Amino acid sequence: MKEISSLLGYRETIRVVDATMRDGGLCNNFYFTDEFVKDLYKANIEAGVDYMEVGYKASKKLFDESKFGKWKFSSDDDIFAVLGDNTEKKLKLAAMADVGRCDYKDDIRDRSNSPLDLIRVACYVHQIAGAIEMIEDAKKKGYEVSCNIMAISTAQEGDIRVALDMLGKSPVDAIYIVDSFGSIYPEQMARIVQLYREYADKYGKKLGIHAHNNQQLAFANTIEAVGDGVDWLDATYNGMGRGAGNCSMENLLGFLHNPKYNIYPVLTFIDSHMTKLKTSGIVWGYDLQYLVTGLLNQHPRTAIAFTNAGRSDYAEFYNEIIAQE
């Protein structure tokens, strides 16, 4: 029996994280207007969302600033300029730092001088040692820290166990289950949560989930996870995110039935901004090409290329993909 046995109940330990600007930024190279960012910030406060991820802390040595909007780099100065000092802390701010793709020692300042509250370290299983170094650095600087282990659907269980044990011994606050390819089914998610909880319970860590919607299961996997005790829940407005997108904020807040959350500001923001993004030509969301890569447990890069090329020959795309298997 799930911990949430009734849709009328809720758990006080739940934390909702808005990843619209970070995962959604992958759809438009992080070119969000200041108006968009300010309105999203206000909408999240009114909706009761707990954290807002403003983007990446990407390395300016590795990525050409002229090819991306400022939220690819999320400098403290840019955050201050658009959102102010956030001193009231009605909404905590977060940024993601990828192992090997950021200059965290220089670009992540002490929390006392930053508008950020949470650093979300992202890595693959083989990068855990590097992730722990970043986690320790962020904790010393005063931040809350989470860790997203990406692409776990392609990793061996033994390797995941070693990674979880190493993370458990680190000062990380929350460990995320990440369905990078949108290939995991709810019954599999239940088993994965059980595996992660073994280490989370042992070391006193929180668990989170970040789901992709390749098989239209991002919301299903999220509520499967929350029913099994996962507390930190990622979602995006209108499901905006790389490729097929993510669990939608409007679905999630509607499900939680917690009086602290309010779906109306989310819908208002979608009316004002997300519809405009789509009509301007920004593309995200479920489509058959993403189903194919999800079914085959592959990175969606080929499906994204299919989308960008304006193709609609789904059967031929399927043949192309399986020929590479």
Side-chain angles (χ1 to χ4, degrees):
M1 182 66 68
K2 301 295 183 189
E3 287 189 17
I4 296 182
S5 57
S6 169
L7 291 179
L8 298 179
Y10 62 89
R11 200 161 67 235
E12 290 285 356
T13 52
I14 294 293
R15 297 292 180 267
V16 174
V17 181
D18 169 35
T20 304
M21 286 178 59
R22 201 273 308 166
D23 214 318
L26 295 167
C27 303
N28 68 345
N29 287 331
F30 303 91
Y31 286 110
F32 295 109
T33 65
D34 290 354
E35 179 189 16
F36 180 101
V37 178
K38 290 177 182 178
D39 286 354
L40 180 60
Y41 178 77
K42 293 175 184 176
N44 277 322
I45 291 174
E46 292 173 2
V49 170
D50 300 283
Y51 293 84
M52 173 176 162
E53 189 177 35
V54 296
Y56 279 102
K57 281 285 190 182
S59 170
K60 294 179 182 179
K61 300 173 185 175
L62 296 177
F63 297 95
D64 186 345
E65 288 184 78
S66 67
K67 296 180 179 179
F68 299 95
K70 57 192 172 189
W71 305 108
K72 174 77 171 178
F73 309 98
S74 303
S75 74
D76 288 349
D77 291 342
D78 283 334
I79 301 170
F80 279 130
V82 177
L83 296 179
D85 57 17
N86 194 37
T87 53
E88 294 184 12
K89 296 297 180 188
K90 293 180 179 179
L91 173 67
K92 291 185 177 182
L93 299 179
M96 180 167 281
D98 282 350
V99 172
R101 297 180 181 178
C102 66
D103 303 311
Y104 65 93
K105 291 182 179 179
D106 297 322
D107 291 341
I108 299 177
R109 304 192 295 210
D110 285 349
R111 185 180 181 183
S112 59
N113 300 318
S114 172
L116 295 172
D117 303 280
L118 168 67
I119 300 298
R120 284 157 56 94
V121 175
C123 68
Y124 294 100
V125 167
H126 68 277
Q127 297 174 314
I128 285 295
I132 290 174
E133 185 176 280
M134 290 174 62
I135 290 165
E136 291 174 345
D137 179 79
K139 287 302 288 187
K140 288 178 182 177
K141 291 174 178 175
Y143 293 95
E144 297 177 72
V145 188
S146 64
C147 183
N148 286 26
I149 308 176
M150 300 182 289
I152 60 167
S153 59
T154 62
Q156 297 292 323
E157 181 179 325
D159 292 339
I160 294 174
R161 285 185 174 275
V162 171
L164 291 174
D165 194 61
M166 291 173 68
L167 282 174
K169 294 172 182 176
S170 82
V172 75
D173 297 294
I175 302 170
Y176 263 80
I177 299 164
V178 184
D179 182 15
S180 300
F181 302 162
S183 63
I184 295 172
Y185 293 98
E187 55 269 28
Q188 294 174 304
M189 181 58 68
R191 295 195 296 271
I192 292 168
V193 173
Q194 184 177 17
L195 168 62
Y196 274 59
R197 283 197 68 180
E198 179 181 335
Y199 293 89
D201 291 346
K202 177 180 179 180
Y203 292 106
K205 308 298 184 182
K206 292 291 186 180
L207 290 180
I209 179 169
H210 180 86
H212 279 264
N213 205 37
N214 297 62
Q215 299 186 85
Q216 300 194 87
L217 292 172
F219 176 56
N221 281 325
T222 299
I223 64 175
E224 176 72 35
V226 74
D228 286 324
V230 173
D231 280 332
W232 289 38
L233 314 175
D234 280 16
T236 63
Y237 281 60
N238 215 194
M240 186 184 187
R242 184 200 64 193
N246 304 95
C247 175
S248 70
M249 184 67 74
E250 54 273 21
N251 276 128
L252 180 60
L253 297 192
F255 166 77
L256 291 175
H257 288 280
N258 185 331
K260 73 169 284 193
Y261 299 121
N262 181 6
I263 195 174
Y264 184 75
V266 176
L267 299 176
T268 301
F269 183 85
I270 291 171
D271 284 346
S272 300
H273 291 283
M274 306 308 290
T275 303
K276 288 180 183 178
L277 285 181
K278 286 198 167 185
T279 56
S280 73
I282 307 301
V283 179
W284 73 87
Y286 169 80
D287 208 338
L288 291 175
Q289 63 270 30
Y290 297 115
L291 170 66
V292 170
T293 57
L295 286 170
L296 297 175
N297 192 22
Q298 291 189 6
H299 193 287
R301 60 175 61 91
T302 52
I304 292 171
F306 178 98
T307 303
N308 291 340
R311 293 176 58 182
S312 59
D313 52 334
Y314 302 110
E316 178 59 27
F317 177 70
Y318 178 79
N319 286 335
E320 292 171 5
I321 298 301
I322 62 172
Q324 300 170 14
E325 288 283 285

